Amino acid sequence: MATPSPISTPAIMVVPVVGAVSVVHLLNDLIQAVLPAIYPMLKQDYALSFTQIGLITLIFQLTASVLQPAVGFYTDKHPKPALLPLGMVFTLLGLALLSLAQRYDMLLLASAMIGLGSSTFHPEASRVARMASGGRYGLAQAMFQVGGNAGSALGPLLAAMIIIPRGQGSIGWFCLFAIAGIMLLAWVSRWVVQSNARQRLGNAARKGNGLSTRQTRQALGVLALLIFSKYVYMTCLSNFYTFYLIEKFEVSVADSQLFLFLFLAAIAVGTVAGGPIGDRFGRKWVIWVSILGAAPLALMLPYSSLLGAALLTVLIGLVMSSAFSAIIVFAQELMPARVGMISGLFYGLMFGISGIAAAVLGMLADVTSIGFIFKLCAWFPLLGILAFWLPDMRRTV
């Protein structure tokens, strides 16, 4: 396969802007993580089945995924920085409804509102991270992504500390995080309007990727399959790990949240390394190691002790976490003129696969067992072998 020519941009990262979108990503994903973290409480309070739990995730993930490519495609041609704070407004409304919901259909509506906020936030925020990267695309995307991963890790911990002891109404306190996010994103949107970062991004995009159309399509297809393999397995862990621990090891709900926090915190730590390593050595190598390298760990997990499960999930989180930021930047470099659309497409693909997987795995757990779906999903990281067919997208910055 042809090796693309390097794309050079001014190597000066606007750290306050990248930091701001990373912090808001933390707040956004912290709020989103409240939903699966309180599943055990909702299951008990509303007498829900695993299928109904999976449906809540499906509604959230679909609303968070369907609009993302459309939002990105539109803003590539018609920039709308105001969508950043507007997306967080939808999240705020969904969070308030979740705290007040009294029926199952209200839970579904609240999940949809939170998902809608996510669908408007991610494409534009990912584009802003690239704008402010100063050419250090992997590092900027990793910083942006680690904010989301840190939020995902903190969500269950705060839910265990605040919501589980006090009940559903205490979810309203998390509205303060959404309000803080709205204020930060209003400042970021002003920076986008006042800077010429979008013009520099457009200049870089005109240089192309150095690949043929067929090679570009093939690479995008491989990346989509890698997203599929990664997020089917990650959905199994993030949505059903607490139930697995409660059923197999008889741990308490609060203790299961702490184990989930360890896994999600490992993801946040591992994400930091993936971006700069990809900038230095090439993103293909990072993707290959991060997905395929987790396969033996995943295959051992269903047969381990409680301590072994905790250790293995931490290692899995560390190894697999670098893949997504590398995949996003890889896809952006494949289509540099469509950064918003491609970011929305891959974030949407991630949410969509996660939602469908949650629903299917929930139904499968109802008819088999939690242990069975962990054994089944352990085979998905082996699809990391597909990274062999990616072109070498090594860049100079």
Side-chain angles (χ1 to χ4, degrees):
M1 291 184 178
T3 300
S5 57
I7 295 175
S8 60
T9 56
I12 302 174
M13 180 181 290
V14 187
V15 176
V17 174
V18 176
V21 292
S22 179
V23 169
V24 179
H25 201 186
L26 182 153
L27 298 174
N28 181 80
D29 285 24
L30 183 154
I31 292 169
Q32 293 179 18
V34 166
L35 207 53
I38 63 173
Y39 281 169
M41 182 186 75
L42 295 178
K43 188 175 189 298
Q44 180 178 342
D45 292 349
Y46 291 84
L48 304 179
S49 67
F50 283 121
T51 300
Q52 289 174 305
I53 292 290
L55 185 59
I56 292 175
T57 301
L58 176 63
I59 293 297
F60 162 68
Q61 301 286 23
L62 287 181
T63 54
S65 63
V66 171
L67 290 179
Q68 288 204 43
V71 170
F73 179 79
Y74 179 77
T75 55
D76 279 333
K77 294 185 177 182
H78 309 282
K80 300 292 182 185
L83 282 178
L84 287 167
L86 180 61
M88 191 58 71
V89 170
F90 286 121
T91 300
L92 174 63
L93 295 175
L95 194 60
L97 181 59
L98 184 62
S99 69
L100 300 172
Q102 298 295 321
R103 303 189 310 271
Y104 179 66
D105 58 344
M106 293 177 68
L107 294 178
L108 294 178
L109 179 59
S111 302
M113 291 294 292
I114 295 173
L116 182 61
S118 180
S119 70
T120 55
F121 167 75
H122 282 100
E124 194 66 16
S126 182
R127 188 211 312 274
V128 169
R130 189 172 178 88
M131 285 181 193
S133 69
R136 303 172 71 183
Y137 302 132
L139 177 59
Q141 194 62 227
M143 290 175 62
F144 174 66
Q145 191 63 31
V146 78
N149 291 339
S152 296
L154 287 172
L157 185 64
L158 292 180
M161 295 171 57
I162 299 173
I163 301 174
I164 300 300
R166 296 172 176 81
Q168 184 179 341
S170 60
I171 296 173
W173 287 103
F174 287 74
C175 291
L176 297 174
F177 295 127
I179 293 171
I182 292 169
M183 296 171 65
L184 274 173
L185 289 177
W187 175 78
V188 170
S189 66
R190 286 196 298 270
W191 175 84
V192 172
V193 172
Q194 295 168 2
S195 72
N196 63 347
R198 187 179 291 271
Q199 181 180 350
R200 291 199 303 268
L201 197 62
N203 293 337
R206 281 190 286 273
K207 294 181 180 292
N209 65 12
L211 301 174
S212 68
T213 301
R214 186 183 67 83
Q215 288 173 323
T216 299
R217 289 175 179 172
Q218 176 181 297
L220 288 171
V222 170
L223 291 177
L225 288 172
L226 292 173
I227 287 283
F228 170 77
S229 67
K230 171 180 167 63
Y231 279 98
V232 168
Y233 185 68
M234 296 294 274
T235 297
C236 179
L237 278 177
S238 60
N239 284 274
F240 299 102
Y241 183 42
T242 53
F243 296 113
Y244 174 78
L245 294 174
I246 292 169
E247 180 179 296
K248 184 172 183 178
F249 301 108
E250 298 182 348
V251 302
S252 67
V253 172
D255 286 344
S256 72
Q257 298 295 336
L258 294 177
F259 281 101
L260 180 61
F261 168 74
L262 289 176
F263 165 65
L264 297 175
I267 291 177
V269 173
T271 298
V272 179
I277 290 175
D279 284 339
R280 178 67 179 85
F281 298 104
R283 286 171 246 290
K284 177 179 178 178
W285 181 84
V286 172
I287 294 168
W288 183 296
V289 172
S290 64
I291 298 179
L292 188 60
L297 304 173
L299 290 168
M300 288 189 290
L301 178 60
Y303 307 98
S304 65
S305 64
L306 177 60
L307 180 60
L311 178 60
L312 285 171
T313 51
V314 167
L315 292 175
I316 290 168
L318 289 170
V319 172
M320 293 194 79
S321 58
S322 60
F324 188 67
S325 60
I327 289 172
I328 284 289
V329 176
F330 202 115
Q332 289 173 342
E333 291 174 350
L334 287 170
M335 298 190 68
R338 292 288 182 266
V339 170
M341 184 195 73
I342 208 68
S343 299
L345 178 64
F346 275 84
Y347 273 105
L349 190 63
M350 176 193 74
F351 283 117
I353 289 172
S354 298
I356 294 171
V360 172
L361 292 175
M363 289 186 289
L364 195 57
D366 280 334
V367 299
T368 58
S369 68
I370 290 290
F372 175 79
I373 66 171
F374 270 74
K375 292 177 182 178
L376 175 66
C377 292
W379 295 94
F380 280 90
L382 288 173
L383 289 175
I385 193 70
L386 294 172
F388 174 81
W389 282 274
L390 290 174
D392 185 0
M393 296 292 287
R394 225 173 260 183
R395 321 281 286 183
T396 59
V397 293

